[in-house]
Every structure is written in C-alpha cells, then in structure tokens.
Amino acid sequence: MPPAIRPFTSTATAAVVLLASALLALPAPPAAAGGADAHCARLARLHVPGAEHQQADCLDELTTAGTVASGHTDPADWAGLTPKDLSVPTGVPGIQIDGYFPDTAAPAAVPNTNHGWNHDAQFVIRLPDRWNGGLVVAGSPGVREQYANDRAIGDWVLARGYAFAATDKGNTGVAFHRDGRTPGDAVAEWNTRVTELTRAARAVVAQRYRRAPDRTLATGMSNGGYLVRWQLENHPELYDGGVDWEGTLWRADGPNLLTFLPPALTAYPAYAAGGPQAGPAHQAMLAAGFPAGSEFLWPFHHSYYWDLTQRIYREEFDPGFDGPAEAGTPFCAPGTPACDADYAYADRPAEVRRAVQRIGLTGRIGKPLITLHGTLDVLLPISRDSDVYAEMVRRAGRGSLMRYYRIEGGTHVDSLVDSFPDRLRPLTPCHRAAFTALEEWIGRGARPPLGRTVPRDPAATPATLLTSCPLGA
C-alpha cells in the first residue's frame, strides 16, 4: 500500500477549487477481455512506459467507495466538484498504478505532495478486472492533482468497465506558474503530460488485457475540458473522441479569462455596494459576459474564484505586469499600482499574446467532440467560452465532428447546486448523457441529437435533475 496521502485542509481546498434518465443506473460491465482472468492478473508484469516511479496495488474496490479508506485517492482533490447526494458505485475490483514521470520543475515550484513523493507529473491508472475494452483519459481541472476527477468521472466510467487514467498535468497548486522558464510553459506542459499519459496508459492496458483498447476517449472539466479540445486538435490519432465539460478557452486574440475577469473585479464591488454606481456596474458585469440571472452567484465567485484565478493565470502569461511581485495583490482596489482589477489584456505587449498563442485553441478538431456548458457559469461565462469555441470549430470546417449542448441552469461546479437547488442543475448527469452519446456515435455511428440549449424543467425535483439530462428535444 502506498504511503498515506496528505490530510485534507480547508485552506488548501479553498485555494485549489478554482475552477467545475437512468444513466446512473449503471449496467454491469462485461467480463474481462481474453476470458476469465483472475483478480488482478498480471499485476507483477505491468510497466508504465517512461515512468520514473510506479507502484501497483491489487484492490478490492477501485471506486472512491474503497479508495478513500485504502489511501488510493485524496478527497481534497475532488472536494467541491460534485453534488453531495451523487451516488458512489461499488463492486469494481482491479489494479491501481500510482507513479510519476520524470519532471524538471523549477526549484521554486511547489510540487505535488501526494504519497509523500513531493514530485510533479504524478498519474494514476486504474484497471478493472471486468474490462469493456475501452480507456478513458483525463487531466485535472483547475490546478488540482491527479485524483480530482475520481468522483465526477472516474467512479462512473470504472463501473461501466473502462480502464481510467488521470494526470496532475505536471504542475499543481496556486503557484503552478513558477514551473517552466518562459511565460506559458506551465500550461504547455499540461498538454504534453496528457499526451504522455495517454500513450503510456494504452501500453499498460495492452499489457494487462493482452490487447490494445478498442477505443480511447478523452474527457475532463474546466481546464480538463481545455485539454480535451487541445488533444483532439493536436493528437487526434490517439483518441476516438472526447467529451469537453465547460473547457477553458485560450485564444490569443480573446476572449479568454484575462479579458473578462478584470472587469468583474472592478465592477462587482461597486454593484455590491449599492447606491448610484450599482446600475452602471451591473451593466458592466453583463457587458463582460456574466449572464443576467446569475447575480446570486456573484458574491461567492468574487470571494473565492475571480480574484485568485485572474492573478495566478495572469502571472503565468504576463509576469511583467506587476514587476517583481508574484501574482499581484489580492483584492486590490482599482487605481492602485499593478492591480489586476485594472488589467487590460488588449494593451499588453505582443509577447503576452504570443505566450497565449503557444497554447491556444484553433477549433481544428480531428475526432468527434461533445461539449457541454452551463448557462449560469460565472467563472467561465458561456458567451465568452464555449459559444465562441463552437463557432471556431464551425469556421474551421469541423462542425460535423462536434455537438454542443448549452445546459440551462448549470454552473461551473456542481457543489453549488446544494446551496441553490431551486435555481441550478448539476452538470454531472449531463456529462454522463454526453459520454453515452459519444459511445453510440463512435461505436454504432448513431449521431447524437443536434446541439441545442437543454432546458431546465422548473417542475423537476433535485433527485430527478441528479439522475437525468436528456440531450434531445
């Protein structure tokens, strides 16, 4: 058993939480390929190509129903991403491989501390005894670590019989921008780490089940959704398709989060203070892309997301803005020196846009992609993100490869549904509906319903919304 994972701390979680039908009645996965293999067969023969260190364990339960107690996940990684009543599947025995790839993180970078390894580029690969022939690969949302997708994605796909692999993207935490030598290096590493893990996981799957996966699917939320987009644009040969859950849009000419977060940092305090400036400030928020009707979500996002997100990503792409300071001044007032509330991306030097261009998206996907995004997302507003990306795909001539579903009432992280059950709907069941639609698309050629805004039934109960998200009209 690996060393105990570091304990949960509320401070660490608050900093890292940046970003975000009957489908829950899981079918029994098929028997393992190649016959009735024994539990954890060939464990001693498994080798992750390119890994500097690995540790393989035979587990009676690969889902979080067992891995929390056994120390093979970290609840702090996935805290705040899912509704409290999301069910946890059980009955998935198999092999878990934890490890890390060689990494050259800057000495000042704060490494991933899971397992006491103090090493970035950590990964997890899970191989269920009863395998359905597929592999799912995910990168973590926000700046979280490799277990961040365990509750929202990993549990469900493992219960369906998929092998599952996830990466910490090579750098983690709110100081992720310290990694690399030039602006944009840390984010560029995210993409190479997903590619690296996908190739390695495909090889491990072949070792365990004696044949390569017949389908490899990429999926992820927020920054993880960005990674899906980038992989299908740049390495379509590795995948059969992907599901992008509110992926971050990076585009050199904008919009990107450096164009819409500064206006929010300026306008929201004036709006919240009331008085004669509240009306113009409200209009400034709407003009920046924050949707009307989402105002009830603004206080929380101002306190926890907008300021921190702006400062650390601005530091990644434009460290010169605040001179020798690192990631600016938290909650600074407009007009103070080097305040991120005053940041004007369009006025910054050309090298800033070049740094974003290095990791930017083009829309030129090469495999089927399903994108879903909540209409009440106020971390990555839909009009400045997925609406734009869908149009980029269309203009690139790849529209036939994409389905885009705007989920009415969805927001960036599903835990907020617990606080506002009468106004929000969880995106987790919509992700599962999209995933099964992708399976049918690439497996049987059954094209998913045309993209649309999926309405939130005002009469639906929270329990119904947690288990159903019909994508078709």
Side-chain angles (χ1 to χ4, degrees):
M1 180 177 294
I5 294 175
R6 55 158 171 62
F8 170 95
T9 65
S10 59
T11 301
T13 299
V16 172
V17 177
L18 302 175
L19 307 182
S21 126
L23 292 176
L24 292 178
L26 302 172
D37 280 334
H39 177 39
C40 297
R42 286 178 288 285
L43 182 148
R45 302 180 187 178
L46 301 181
H47 170 70
V48 181
E52 182 177 337
H53 177 78
Q54 71 171 67
Q55 178 166 328
D57 294 290
C58 180
L59 303 181
D60 291 332
E61 183 61 71
L62 291 175
T63 74
T64 56
T67 54
V68 172
S70 69
H72 288 84
T73 189
D74 182 359
D77 274 9
W78 33 267
L81 294 180
T82 55
K84 62 180 176 59
D85 292 330
L86 184 67
S87 63
V88 183
T90 60
V92 189
I95 297 168
Q96 174 161 322
I97 305 175
D98 292 286
Y100 53 80
F101 293 107
D103 181 66
T104 55
V110 179
N112 182 341
T113 60
N114 273 327
H115 307 291
W117 289 335
N118 296 322
H119 197 288
D120 285 336
Q122 291 193 36
F123 62 83
V124 59
I125 300 173
R126 297 190 176 101
L127 306 164
D129 287 349
R130 291 173 291 170
W131 181 52
N132 70 5
L135 167 66
V136 174
V137 181
S140 59
V143 289
R144 297 171 184 247
E145 297 162 357
Q146 68 269 29
Y147 303 112
N149 291 300
D150 282 5
R151 283 287 287 114
I153 298 172
D155 282 354
W156 187 73
V157 299
L158 285 164
R160 292 175 66 85
Y162 283 92
F164 177 70
T167 170
D168 69 2
K169 310 194 303 286
N171 44 73
T172 62
V174 296
F176 81 99
H177 49 77
R178 294 178 183 170
D179 203 0
R181 297 183 178 181
T182 61
D185 278 355
V187 173
E189 184 180 356
W190 298 354
N191 296 314
T192 59
R193 292 300 184 184
V194 174
T195 304
E196 175 182 51
L197 179 62
T198 300
R199 289 172 172 154
R202 286 172 59 87
V204 172
V205 164
Q207 295 168 21
R208 167 62 182 89
Y209 303 111
R210 295 178 290 193
R211 68 176 176 90
D214 55 32
R215 60 197 177 281
T216 300
L217 307 178
T219 192
M221 69 174 76
S222 196
N223 282 338
Y226 156 75
L227 295 167
V228 174
R229 296 172 178 180
W230 193 95
Q231 292 294 319
L232 295 190
E233 289 183 5
N234 293 274
H235 287 289
E237 76 281 359
L238 294 178
Y239 307 94
D240 296 281
V243 179
D244 152 32
W245 180 342
E246 67 198 14
T248 310
L249 178 63
W250 286 111
R251 193 166 179 258
D253 294 332
N256 58 55
L257 60 83
L258 301 179
T259 67
F260 56 74
L261 287 182
L265 296 178
T266 297
Y268 175 75
Y271 167 76
Q277 296 303 311
H282 182 256
Q283 290 303 309
M285 291 290 293
L286 300 183
F290 297 89
S294 68
E295 291 86 353
F296 68 99
L297 295 168
W298 294 357
F300 179 82
H301 285 76
H302 178 260
S303 297
Y304 291 100
Y305 290 165
W306 294 337
D307 179 77
L308 180 62
T309 302
Q310 163 65 24
R311 289 186 293 103
I312 65 176
Y313 286 93
R314 192 270 305 150
E315 187 72 17
E316 165 67 357
F317 294 104
D318 190 2
F321 174 73
D322 55 357
E326 182 181 26
T329 302
F331 298 101
C332 56
T336 57
C339 180
D340 274 278
D342 295 324
Y343 187 76
Y345 177 81
D347 297 337
R348 297 301 295 155
E351 56 262 30
V352 177
R353 285 184 293 281
R354 285 196 292 269
V356 174
Q357 183 66 46
R358 286 181 57 204
I359 56 87
L361 298 168
T362 65
R364 294 191 293 270
I365 56 175
K367 288 291 173 64
L369 172 68
I370 298 180
T371 290
L372 62 143
H373 203 126
T375 60
L376 294 183
D377 191 327
V378 291
L379 180 56
L380 301 176
I382 192 169
S383 67
R384 300 298 188 266
D385 193 286
S386 293
D387 285 359
V388 177
Y389 188 66
E391 180 62 15
M392 290 169 61
V393 172
R394 188 192 67 80
R395 290 187 177 183
R398 311 298 172 91
S400 64
L401 289 175
M402 186 182 193
R403 290 291 187 271
Y404 173 37
Y405 302 104
R406 306 172 88 255
I407 311 299
E408 186 178 49
T411 194
H412 201 72
V413 291
D414 272 1
S415 59
L416 288 172
V417 176
D418 297 330
S419 299
F420 303 101
D422 57 332
R423 304 193 203 186
L424 298 175
R425 71 174 302 161
L427 290 179
T428 304
C430 301
H431 173 265
R432 295 174 179 184
F435 192 95
T436 55
L438 180 68
E439 290 176 318
E440 292 293 299
W441 191 359
I442 66 176
R444 297 195 304 109
R447 290 186 172 272
L450 293 177
R452 67 175 187 131
T453 297
V454 177
R456 181 188 186 278
D457 181 357
T461 66
T464 299
L465 291 173
L466 189 57
T467 58
S468 176
C469 185
L471 300 179

